[in-house]
Amino acid sequence: MSRQFAILGLGYFGVTVAQELIRQHDDVLGIDRDEERVNALSNLLTHALVADISDEKTLSELSLADYDAVIIDVDDNLEDSMTCTLLLRELGVREIWVKAHSDTHYRLLRHLGARHVVYPEYDTGVRVAQSLHYHAMVDFIDLGDHQFVVELQTTENLCKKCATVADLELDDDKLALIAVKRGREVLKSPDPDTPLQEKDNLILMGDLDDLRKLGSKL
């Protein structure tokens, strides 16, 4: 079943989101005040419209509250970004995603009621730093309150010490091993006697400090 999304401002981030949603067979409305940009993307989007996203009358006529989510990506005008966020809140849009461009912009958008503020430069920087520091980490999701889901790749060193899942000596009250990914195979809730192989990917959930302790074994 397809869902409906609106992308207000067709910057690089907005277009990337639109492309992936279209790939998932969702309906996507794209709006930008730049006619040339809209025309260039009209074949990609389900619907394309040239309009000023900071204009209250325009937004009110689009029935955006009926959409599953609205994404705002205004690269060249932070005032438009904040104005659009405020107007969408007043129009009853239930899920708003906005791209932030600075720490101050991020805080302002949160105060204006955006449910999801995406700060690509910051988020990517954190991921790069974590991957550099914890060399075996493939990916992570911050759940809040120091709880994370992480994907760690086993090393030769770890496999010498830990032949099976049981050898990891995980405290079930602190860390949960959700799955082991081995190539295209996914072993969900692996048994304690499941053997570990080099370059297996371990999917774990738990407190950051406990995950760091496990990471030190890698």
Side-chain angles (χ1 to χ4, degrees):
M1 180 178 177
S2 64
R3 305 178 70 200
Q4 287 188 312
F5 300 96
I7 312 290
L8 309 187
L10 298 174
Y12 182 78
F13 171 74
V15 172
T16 302
V17 173
Q19 287 176 320
E20 183 60 22
L21 291 173
I22 292 292
R23 195 178 71 83
Q24 300 293 338
H25 305 292
D26 291 316
D27 291 331
V28 180
L29 165 66
I31 304 174
D32 198 284
R33 60 159 54 101
D34 187 325
E35 183 176 359
E36 184 176 343
R37 183 179 297 181
V38 172
N39 289 338
L41 296 167
S42 60
N43 291 332
L44 164 69
L45 303 165
T46 312
H47 307 285
L49 179 66
V50 179
D52 180 0
I53 67 167
S54 65
D55 181 74
E56 183 174 4
K57 184 175 184 296
T58 297
L59 294 180
S60 65
E61 293 174 348
L62 294 172
S63 301
L64 294 173
D66 296 334
Y67 284 69
D68 291 286
V70 178
I71 299 92
I72 304 170
D73 176 20
V74 184
D75 283 333
D76 57 352
N77 195 318
L78 303 188
E79 182 179 350
D80 279 359
S81 171
M82 293 184 289
T83 300
C84 185
T85 300
L86 178 61
L87 292 174
L88 292 179
R89 286 282 294 165
E90 292 178 347
L91 290 169
V93 176
R94 55 186 177 274
E95 186 159 354
I96 303 169
W97 291 68
V98 194
K99 178 185 174 183
H101 298 271
S102 67
D103 293 342
T104 301
H105 189 208
Y106 178 96
R107 294 198 302 271
L108 286 169
L109 290 169
R110 294 292 292 177
H111 281 300
L112 288 171
R115 287 190 59 183
H116 305 278
V117 181
V118 182
Y119 193 173
E121 289 81 2
Y122 176 83
D123 294 340
T124 302
V126 169
R127 288 182 177 274
V128 169
Q130 293 285 353
S131 297
L132 289 170
H133 185 72
Y134 302 105
H135 59 91
M137 187 172 70
V138 178
D139 202 358
F140 72 94
I141 301 173
D142 185 350
L143 302 176
D145 297 323
H146 289 274
Q147 296 294 310
F148 284 76
V149 175
V150 300
E151 183 173 351
L152 298 174
Q153 188 171 85
T154 58
T155 60
E156 180 182 3
N157 182 51
L158 177 71
C159 291
K160 286 179 180 178
K161 300 175 184 176
C162 304
T164 67
V165 167
D167 294 332
L168 292 172
E169 298 180 341
L170 300 178
D171 185 337
D172 293 337
D173 293 329
K174 295 180 178 180
L175 283 180
L177 179 59
I178 301 170
V180 175
K181 291 170 60 179
R182 182 171 297 154
R184 295 186 177 181
E185 185 181 11
V186 178
L187 309 174
K188 299 178 181 178
S189 302
D191 296 326
D193 59 353
T194 300
L196 295 177
Q197 299 178 11
E198 187 179 351
K199 294 188 178 179
D200 280 347
N201 283 9
L202 310 179
I203 313 300
L204 299 118
M205 181 173 68
D207 185 84
L208 180 59
D209 290 336
D210 295 304
L211 289 165
R212 282 173 173 162
K213 291 175 184 176
L214 175 62
S216 66
K217 296 181 181 180
L218 300 173

